[in-house]
Amino acid sequence: MSAASVFLPGSTIGVMGSGQLGRMFAIAARRMGYRIHTFSPDKNTPTGQVADLEVCAGYSDEAAVRAFARGVDVLTFEFENVPVQSVEWAAEHCVVRPSGRVLHLCQHRLREKEFLKAAGLPLAEFASVISLAELEEALARLGAPAVLKTAAFGYDGKGQHKITKDSDLASVWAGFEGQPAVLEAWVPFEIEVSVLVARGIDGATQVYPVCENAHANHVLDLTLVPARIPAEVAEQAREIAVRTAVALDLVGLLAVEMFLLPGGRFLINELAPRPHNSGHFSFDASVTSQFEQQLRAVCGLPLGSTELLRPTAMANLLGDVWNGGEPDWAAAAALPEVKIHLYGKAEPRPGRKMGHLVALGGTLEEAAERVREARRRLVREGANTAV
Ligand code: AMP
């Protein structure tokens, strides 16, 4: 199969993973006349509910992965922690975009950081840690405070520990249960931002406006677009994102999370080679959504415009919003510039991403106030949920 193959509407796209990112990708793809097959260990999934075919099998099930790959024209991901071996099996039967190499880099913090450093991209000082002695040595070099993170399979602040000069290193290290880790210097950031960039099979790139992200309990809470930073500072972040996509030789979509330091310099925090929670605004507020852009990139079509139509704000809806019973959807829908997105998950557990709201405004402040007001309206009285 040629690396430059183009897949036109009517083709079948396979998605590894079956969560909300795959769901919104599938909606964008079906709108353009593609067929969607999804693969994950679960049934009745957010992606499966809107796909043409939902395959339920483990990512390491060789026969199932090969059969799935034979049934699609091109394979992509909504989740990067798919074993690289499975991606190699699939690549014997269909085109895989982004490549297994990109996935392999981005599913491991240490590999990702070493790659970024070698590419001359800006990131915080870091050290590999596989023993208590190495942790002590790394902390002496980087200084406290610092953050210890597991090298593999971390997301939303899971597998992380902030280390201060008073921390008991032996007990922190015991908590990591021997898992390889990375120690990162503490970054005294002003704000956190992310930039989405798409790169096509011809190497053309399209980059979105900078997203300003606020987290609560390590999980994304609010995204404002465009970020409230000077245009020339935003341009630097966009350039870093494009350079990263080029260095990866990416075909697909990439989210680059960054810290903005006082003084206007950026450090990359982490990469996600797929649509990203902070890019959800684009479904309602951009000429081309991040999901359609991923579709265009992996199908070899020309990329679409990333122009922002209006200032916009996105608020996540975690399971906590259900604390007082079914949220008051009609009250939120009564705000005419607010869009409700729900992922079809049956059980609203605390902390679980169930959906999000997007508000458009004449100004960013107006959009932000609208999205906050809509989320407050959802929560039933007496629910004891902070929104
Ligand atoms: P991560 O899972 O690496 O994206 O980290 C989750 C959150 O922890 C980030 O969004 C930051 O708010 C915070 N964080 C992570 N690493 C650092 C760091 N080196 N310095 C300061 N804050 C950090």
Side-chain angles (χ1 to χ4, degrees), residues 99 101-102 105-106 112 114-121 197 199 203 205 239-251 254 268 271:
S99 67
R101 185 186 143 266
V102 169
L105 276 174
C106 297
E112 183 176 291
E114 281 169 347
F115 163 80
L116 291 169
K117 192 174 167 188
L121 289 155
V197 57
R199 189 162 175 273
T205 56
E239 273 169 28
I240 290 170
V242 172
R243 277 169 53 206
T244 309
V246 171
L248 283 171
D249 194 21
L250 174 85
V251 174
L254 176 74
I268 296 178
L271 309 178

Side-chain angles (χ1 to χ4, degrees), residues 132-142 169:
L132 177 58
E134 282 194 0
L135 176 57
E136 286 165 348
E137 211 175 286
L139 191 66
R141 186 160 68 80
L142 302 186
L169 293 188

Side-chain angles (χ1 to χ4, degrees), residues 109 149 157 160 184-187 189 192 218 257 269-270:
R109 278 187 202 279
K149 303 180 178 181
Q160 294 198 18
E184 256 179 61
W186 184 255
V187 180
F189 60 83
E192 292 185 73
H218 289 285
E257 294 181 23
N269 174 27
E270 62 182 11

Side-chain angles (χ1 to χ4, degrees), residues 5-6 19 40 54 64 76 86 89 91 154 202 245 277-278 283 302 306 331 352:
S5 318
V6 172
S40 82
E54 179 178 53
T76 191
S86 311
W89 294 328
D202 56 354
N277 194 165
S278 63
F283 221 144
T306 54
R352 188 176 196 203

